Amino acid sequence: MSDPRPDLLAALPDLIADRIKVSLPDLRTCKGQSGRFDVEALKKFGLAAPAVLVATTRISQGQTYAGPHATFTIEMAAFVVTKDGLGLSRDAAAAQICQTLLAMLPDRTWSEPGVGPAEAVTALPLITAAQTGIASSLWAVTWRQPITFTAIPVSQPQPIELYVGQHPNVGGANADDYTQIGGGQ
């Protein structure tokens, strides 16, 4: 396994956004960002919709393997922002984008060393047309992404040696009575 890139944590949201843009080419905005996106941010900053903003929302330590090699779990979110369009309500547009993300995210590693398969993918509406007077719909698609910042070396293959013994001459005391039938010489 090659070493993960030194800027993996900073680069991951933009890397994911680039892949999402390929699957959803009609998005007007698709980019990585720092932290959460909420109603206040939506009101404060204009955003060309439909949009997907990808962010890291939390990082926690995972397993530590021999070496030691620490792993972490990054909680990621893709914030989906839509507005009413011709023939398609903002809520329906958000649901379609979320459906595409829900189909593409599970098990994705983004072809990056050190990034494990995406898991626990969920979607939830944060604001819909029925909940607020804001002219946008805001959803969050969230998932967990296991990562490591150091390469975990591939273990060396262990030679296989196969022996056969015949009852009653079996066990450690009868090792000289066994016949090798396969494996290393």
Side-chain angles (χ1 to χ4, degrees), residues 101-133:
L101 294 175
L102 289 168
M104 79 176 287
L105 288 171
D107 300 320
R108 291 295 293 261
T109 63
W110 313 108
S111 301
E112 283 294 319
V115 178
E119 59 190 24
V121 181
T122 61
L124 65 144
L126 302 176
I127 358 172
T128 64
Q131 296 171 320
T132 183

Side-chain angles (χ1 to χ4, degrees), residues 113-163:
V115 178
E119 59 190 24
V121 181
T122 61
L124 65 144
L126 302 176
I127 358 172
T128 64
Q131 296 171 320
T132 183
I134 296 175
S136 299
S137 183
L138 174 61
W139 285 58
V141 176
T142 62
W143 68 97
R144 292 190 311 254
Q145 194 88 53
I147 65 164
T148 185
F149 300 118
T150 57
I152 298 173
V154 177
S155 62
Q156 296 295 323
Q158 297 297 311
I160 297 174
E161 295 181 358
L162 297 175
Y163 294 87

Side-chain angles (χ1 to χ4, degrees), residues 24 26-29 37-38 42 45-53 78-86 88-101 124-130 132-141:
L24 294 164
D26 293 334
L27 293 174
R28 292 187 60 208
T29 304
F37 187 79
D38 57 18
L42 183 58
F45 305 107
L47 188 63
V52 174
L53 303 173
F79 298 99
V80 176
V81 180
T82 57
K83 296 181 179 176
D84 288 329
L86 293 175
L88 190 61
S89 75
R90 58 186 166 227
D91 292 339
Q96 286 182 352
I97 292 170
C98 288
Q99 181 174 330
T100 299
L101 294 175
L124 65 144
L126 302 176
I127 358 172
T128 64
T132 183
I134 296 175
S136 299
S137 183
L138 174 61
W139 285 58
V141 176

